[in-house]
Amino acid sequence: MKLIAVAVVALALAAYFASTMITAENTEVNGTFPKSFFFNGTTLSNTGVPGDATYRFDGYNNIYSYSLTYRNTAFPRNVTETYAYDFNRNITYMHSTGNDKCVAQRMQYTLPMNLIDFMDSVWYYSARIVDDRYVAGHHYQTIRTNYTAANVVYLTSDNDYLYRVNGTIAGQFSNVNVTRPFTPLTFSREQHVPRACGN
């Protein structure tokens, strides 16, 4: 669970700071995250079913959560899976609208500090610009961040607009086409943890 939580945080780090443009490859990327924010995108399930994704990062409640809504599944037609990592309670939650069941599990490890402070730290020490070029009037830039040697996330932007986040997270390849970049927003705990999981 620790690797998954850290991987997701690394993914968010990369996405948020892809718009921090510096014009040299392998240059450090500095900045800080808003205290609470989200971003949206599209992705595919591991079986190729298209889906919409929402990633929420909440430094006030110290919770990271994401929801994946897969369209045109066999039954029911649309299924939303929500995963929440509550670092204050040290519990992870997984909920599916397919059966409205929730699985809660205690984390073996938690973050050593607030979620957003942790993200700022990982970003500061590991984010690097690895591609920075101008082609046909477009400024393309890719930022790489990693939390282990095997888990590397890439954030790619076009003219300072983040459009893709991809890489290996918790040992699995992930690709998200960003449809709405980082947007500051304050969440209630209930917006992270579905009602079926209890609050």
Side-chain angles (χ1 to χ4, degrees), residues 34-38 56-63 183-192:
K35 190 71 171 176
S36 186
F37 64 95
F38 76 96
R56 295 170 291 274
F57 303 86
D58 184 347
Y60 296 110
N61 291 302
N62 208 23
I63 297 175
T183 305
L185 184 68
T186 301
F187 303 98
S188 67
R189 186 173 189 282
E190 291 72 26
Q191 289 174 283
H192 294 286

Side-chain angles (χ1 to χ4, degrees), residues 38-96:
F38 76 96
F39 75 97
N40 295 334
T42 60
T43 190
L44 295 174
S45 73
N46 58 2
T47 59
V49 176
D52 298 314
T54 299
Y55 300 87
R56 295 170 291 274
F57 303 86
D58 184 347
Y60 296 110
N61 291 302
N62 208 23
I63 297 175
Y64 161 73
S65 67
Y66 63 100
S67 297
L68 306 170
T69 299
Y70 297 111
R71 301 179 297 275
N72 301 320
T73 58
F75 180 82
R77 185 162 175 77
N78 296 317
V79 173
T80 299
E81 295 178 352
T82 298
Y83 301 83
Y85 300 84
D86 184 334
F87 297 107
N88 285 337
R89 298 183 184 186
N90 205 28
I91 296 175
T92 61
Y93 302 91
M94 185 281 186
H95 175 265
S96 173

Side-chain angles (χ1 to χ4, degrees), residues 81-188:
E81 295 178 352
T82 298
Y83 301 83
Y85 300 84
D86 184 334
F87 297 107
N88 285 337
R89 298 183 184 186
N90 205 28
I91 296 175
T92 61
Y93 302 91
M94 185 281 186
H95 175 265
S96 173
T97 59
N99 59 11
D100 199 31
K101 298 290 184 189
C102 182
V103 176
Q105 181 176 329
R106 184 157 299 279
M107 289 187 245
Q108 293 180 359
Y109 304 96
T110 192
L111 296 178
M113 60 187 78
N114 179 275
L115 169 65
I116 301 300
D117 294 337
F118 178 75
M119 291 172 59
D120 285 342
S121 177
V122 170
W123 184 258
Y124 178 80
Y125 288 108
S126 73
R128 299 291 182 270
I129 296 172
V130 295
D131 184 21
D132 190 41
R133 57 196 157 89
Y134 292 86
V135 177
H138 289 266
H139 179 204
Y140 294 103
Q141 188 172 75
T142 300
I143 297 174
R144 181 194 71 225
T145 187
N146 59 292
Y147 63 97
T148 68
N151 292 278
V152 181
V153 176
Y154 295 91
L155 309 155
T156 304
S157 63
D158 178 358
N159 290 336
D160 297 346
Y161 183 83
L162 177 69
Y163 71 90
R164 184 175 56 234
V165 178
N166 68 311
T168 303
I169 300 170
Q172 296 185 356
F173 181 77
S174 179
N175 185 53
V176 177
N177 295 311
V178 177
T179 57
R180 181 173 184 167
F182 284 34
T183 305
L185 184 68
T186 301
F187 303 98
S188 67

